[in-house]
Amino acid sequence: KKTEEQAEQIFEMLDANGDEEVHYSDFLAATVNVRGRWRRETLRKIFNRIDRDGSGTISVSEVQRIVAQSCEDASAETFLKESKVALNSNGEISFEAFAELFDRKDLSIAGSPSSPKGASSVLKAYA
């Protein structure tokens, strides 16, 4: 019975236009939505692992800790400057700014630790 209810819920989610048929476009729309939600949940988990004190923001000292673990000669200030992440009025990174860092087209999971592309490689260890 529970499996039938779950199947019905999935069908309703996939039937975006309510015509009681699942079209390819409905399926694509649903997978994009699920993928976006999964990505956000993953970013939240990474953010929470970096935010050691549970303050809801990532401080410069927390950035320094992860940079020091990943790069021998980089500093938190260099990392923050080159990643161009937005800081709040206290000089800390909010979750929204952190998520935006990963939304940028110029940011990938490759590159040197002292480049914007390398910024996410520093954070990759926390995934």
Side-chain angles (χ1 to χ4, degrees), residues 46 50 58-71 73-87 93 97-98 101-102 104 107-108 110-126:
I46 295 169
I50 297 169
I58 298 174
S59 67
V60 173
S61 64
E62 288 167 328
V63 171
Q64 183 60 49
R65 186 176 50 79
I66 64 168
V67 170
Q69 290 173 354
S70 305
C71 313
D73 59 346
S75 69
E77 290 77 17
T78 302
F79 176 86
L80 293 170
K81 181 180 176 186
E82 291 185 1
S83 69
K84 299 178 184 167
V85 66
L87 302 177
I93 305 169
F98 181 79
L101 181 65
F102 287 87
R104 290 198 206 136
L107 190 65
S108 68
S112 71
S114 64
S115 71
K117 290 183 179 185
S120 63
S121 68
V122 170
L123 300 175
K124 185 179 175 185
Y126 286 82

Side-chain angles (χ1 to χ4, degrees), residues 2-59:
K2 188 174 184 178
T3 303
E4 283 181 36
E5 290 173 10
Q6 290 172 330
E8 184 65 31
Q9 288 176 337
I10 292 169
F11 180 81
E12 288 174 10
M13 284 181 3
L14 292 174
D15 183 20
N17 63 4
D19 67 356
E20 298 192 12
E21 292 182 9
V22 176
H23 301 278
Y24 184 65
S25 59
D26 294 331
F27 178 76
L28 285 179
T31 58
V32 166
N33 186 24
V34 168
R35 200 170 156 200
R37 194 171 33 221
W38 174 83
R39 182 178 180 281
R40 191 138 178 107
E41 289 170 6
T42 301
L43 287 175
R44 175 57 79 178
K45 287 177 184 177
I46 295 169
F47 181 88
N48 289 342
R49 287 185 68 185
I50 297 169
D51 178 22
R52 288 270 176 125
D53 64 5
S55 65
T57 58
I58 298 174
S59 67

